[in-house]
Amino acid sequence: MKIRSLAAALWLSTALVSPLAIPAATAQSVTRSMPAGQPVNDATPTPRDVAYPGGTIRLDVDATDTNQRIFRVKETIPVAAAGPMTLLLPKWLPGNHAPRGQIEKITGLNFAADGQPVAWKRDPLNVYGFIIDVPQGAREVLAQFQFISATTPAQGRVVVTPKMLNIQWESVSLYPAGYYTRQIPIQANVTYPAGWQAATALRGKRTGDTVVYDVIDYEALQDSPVFAGLHFKPVDLGRNVTLNIVADDADELDFKPEQIARHKKLVEEAGALFGAYHFDHYDFLLAITDELGGIGLEHHRSSENQVEPGYFKKWDSGDAQLDRNLLPHEFVHSWDGKFRRPDLLWTPDFNVPMQDNLLWVYEGQTQFWGYVLGARSGMFTKQETLDAYAHIAAKLDTTVGRQWRPMEDTTHDPIISARRPKGWVSWQRSEDYYNEGLMIWLEADAILRRQTRGAKGLDDFAKAFFGINPGDWGQVLYNRDDVIKTLNGVAPYDWAGFFRTWVDSPTRETPKGGFTLGGYRLTYADTPASYTKNVEAAQKIVDQSFGVGLMVKSDGEVSGITWDSAAFKAGIATGMKILAVNGDEYSADTLKAALTAAKGGKTPIQLIVKQDKYYRTLSLAYSDGLRYPRLEKTGQGEGSLDKLLAPRT
Ligand SMILES: [Zn+2]
């Protein structure tokens, strides 16, 4: 500001006299101050693999406020020495693969030692850190704060309703910096709303409405969240696996024996596949609700799962069919993700950044086995599985962003995008390592079966890779070479080249060798197969991303556009509202009828669209009609894909 006005003044005075004076003024105007540097802030120590010398932390959580949804926390942290100490809230959350700790919801924080207040200061280099100075002679520090959980979805995921709640320990506890979290013992106590029951992988003793949980290390505590509720039912699935159900209404807890039989078979099929269980006990936490925020989050000895009301009551509905993929996926993570973990995704505490490069194994192969185990256990039918594969492959083919962005780069998307909505997802790409990972593993399975004349498949990889050390619920790390070595142990092949092609390089289309080698091919028809039909119903959309390149909500709002498609070329953007199609008011049926009528013709479809305050008429040149993906059998008899989906027990 100062330099600019000075230059202007000089220009005025010199311009009247002589242009030769101008260079002097310009020279002054480019002055740049150069600070010498910045003092280094090293307040927060890096974690070391030594026992926390203070001893066992005691954590008291009051979870009774279901109206204002405030968790009240008292944490007693024993200390071994006086001096500076940093207490951290978890920032990098396992399973989220990203820095998602809700630090903004920590309020009312205060510290005390021997009844005297202790001042705190936030670490400006890591705002999840609170620095205190432990006074001489103090043996423990008391931290008190609230976690003000979301009261509307706009603030974040809703974790408390009048009927149920979800405790995630990363929101209600701090840990001392400088130690591997597995070296910090902690004993948690929770007071629940009167009469509610709670389920978690933790074990403890209940007195009244307070549960005193057994001492555990801080890492395992984080990995053992709680679902509690008024309407609660535990169901034994065998093998020390329990299905703990909470629901908005009591009648959602009623199920038929054959429905539970499929969940039991899921547990058996997983054991048959991996050849070992890596837990002493496992708790599915299942919330049947449309009030609690959505979740599907894996843990080593449990998982957090939300499904829509009707999970048992409307077993044959599209919503329930889609939801039945959740439990198989999260269960597989006990082996793939929790027990076997990519080396750089493992971190010693929850403030060291995670590196997501191998998520195409962690999530991709879990996505693969989730569908396979779902089919083998009867959670969904083989035909529903094939329909899902067709939808997944076709959707990935519309993701033309693959031409510039290799699949592996999408593993960083949880950090880059944090699941915010995207305007041009088919060009930006999203967390494609899930489904494209599934397609890569389908092809790998088909190659293994071909190379071994049907003797072996990815089942053999799973046993060799995930089935080691039965009962071990620690972590065994791996890198890409370990994956390649294990695959070569099943059947020698150029696996390194296979991954270079599909994982590391931009590609023209999604890998479909799992279909073609497996006896199927992807085709298109003008009516939807079961999976696409369920997606359209559940999301209340018309999904023609495979054809004209449009996804439209029931009110006409465009929710997605395939880059370079006919809809793209017509000038349509996400967020526009289609008001009329060929002069008729928008409805799903009008759009579908217009697309059908345009098939093979030359007359463009006329659209009236609204964007903000502006109305436009757009001309949509398209003549391929409705296009819905499905798998078609190509060979006679049982192909390798049929063999993959067949039950093992
Ligand atoms: Zn997952």
Side-chain angles (χ1 to χ4, degrees), residues 295-563:
I295 194 166
L297 187 57
E298 67 274 19
H299 303 285
H300 205 136
R301 300 188 298 163
S302 64
S303 53
E304 295 166 274
N305 307 276
Q306 176 269 336
V307 295
E308 292 300 303
Y311 184 74
F312 293 119
K313 276 167 65 181
K314 297 179 183 163
W315 185 257
D316 294 322
S317 72
D319 271 356
Q321 279 177 25
L322 293 175
D323 276 344
R324 285 206 289 279
N325 184 235
L326 183 59
L327 265 51
H329 178 102
E330 302 306 343
F331 194 43
V332 167
H333 271 315
S334 179
W335 291 263
D336 181 0
K338 297 317 248 186
F339 172 58
R340 293 307 307 264
R341 194 154 331 159
D343 51 0
L344 301 177
L345 205 54
W346 183 91
T347 56
D349 84 338
F350 302 105
N351 276 269
V352 172
M354 294 170 177
Q355 298 175 58
D356 289 350
N357 303 61
L358 279 169
L359 281 179
W360 52 276
V361 184
Y362 179 127
E363 292 292 358
Q365 198 170 130
T366 295
Q367 188 80 335
F368 170 85
W369 287 123
Y371 274 101
V372 170
L373 289 181
R376 289 183 186 175
S377 62
M379 291 288 279
F380 31 85
T381 65
K382 181 181 166 187
Q383 189 55 51
E384 285 163 5
T385 311
L386 296 174
D387 291 349
Y389 288 159
H391 182 96
I392 284 169
K395 201 68 167 178
L396 285 166
D397 275 348
T398 71
T399 308
V400 292
R402 67 178 54 263
Q403 293 164 19
W404 71 269
R405 191 173 185 198
M407 190 277 287
E408 197 220 26
D409 190 60
T410 72
T411 62
H412 305 297
D413 227 52
I415 302 169
I416 295 169
S417 303
R419 296 197 171 174
R420 285 184 294 268
K422 294 184 172 187
W424 302 101
V425 67
S426 66
W427 187 235
Q428 293 167 283
R429 306 202 76 177
S430 179
E431 298 178 3
D432 291 351
Y433 52 90
Y434 279 90
N435 281 335
E436 199 154 323
L438 176 154
M439 294 302 298
I440 289 170
W441 292 114
L442 264 179
E443 183 162 328
D445 177 70
I447 291 170
L448 289 173
R449 287 173 200 277
R450 184 189 64 191
Q451 299 298 95
T452 61
R453 295 174 190 279
K456 289 180 178 176
L458 209 63
D459 284 66
D460 299 274
F461 171 86
K463 266 197 194 69
F465 200 73
F466 301 113
I468 54 171
N469 306 3
D472 179 0
W473 60 282
Q475 303 102 33
V476 179
L477 306 186
Y478 65 86
N479 59 29
R480 185 192 284 214
D481 284 344
D482 297 322
V483 175
I484 291 170
K485 212 191 277 174
T486 309
L487 281 165
N488 275 319
V490 180
Y493 184 72
D494 179 19
W495 294 111
F498 177 76
F499 292 134
R500 264 198 309 276
T501 302
W502 292 125
V503 175
D504 301 335
S505 314
T507 52
R508 285 169 50 82
E509 58 178 302
T510 190
K512 297 190 202 72
F515 298 165
T516 49
L517 295 171
Y520 288 87
R521 70 184 184 103
L522 181 65
T523 61
Y524 291 85
D526 54 11
T527 53
S530 70
Y531 189 88
T532 309
K533 199 172 168 179
N534 290 340
V535 168
E536 284 194 323
Q539 298 178 9
K540 297 184 177 67
I541 55 164
V542 173
D543 189 351
Q544 276 302 303
S545 48
F546 327 103
V548 69
L550 262 182
M551 289 168 74
V552 192
K553 295 183 188 173
S554 49
D555 65 353
E557 189 186 318
V558 176
S559 61
I561 291 275
T562 304
W563 191 268

Side-chain angles (χ1 to χ4, degrees), residues 194-270:
W196 285 28
Q197 293 183 74
T200 161
L202 300 174
R203 293 296 180 258
K205 258 206 175 103
R206 183 172 185 134
T207 314
D209 292 310
T210 299
V211 180
V212 177
Y213 291 107
D214 298 344
V215 175
I216 198 162
D217 65 77
Y218 190 81
E219 182 184 76
L221 179 83
Q222 291 305 318
D223 200 38
S224 309
V226 181
F227 275 18
L230 177 64
H231 308 299
F232 174 85
K233 190 186 266 186
V235 186
D236 179 15
L237 298 181
R239 308 271 181 190
N240 286 334
V241 178
T242 309
L243 178 63
N244 302 279
I245 314 164
V246 292
D248 291 343
D249 297 298
D251 66 348
E252 293 283 354
L253 302 176
D254 296 334
F255 47 74
K256 297 195 174 80
E258 60 265 29
Q259 293 169 336
I260 292 303
R262 297 181 199 202
H263 292 76
K264 286 183 174 170
K265 193 159 163 63
L266 169 64
V267 175
E268 290 304 314
E269 286 288 344

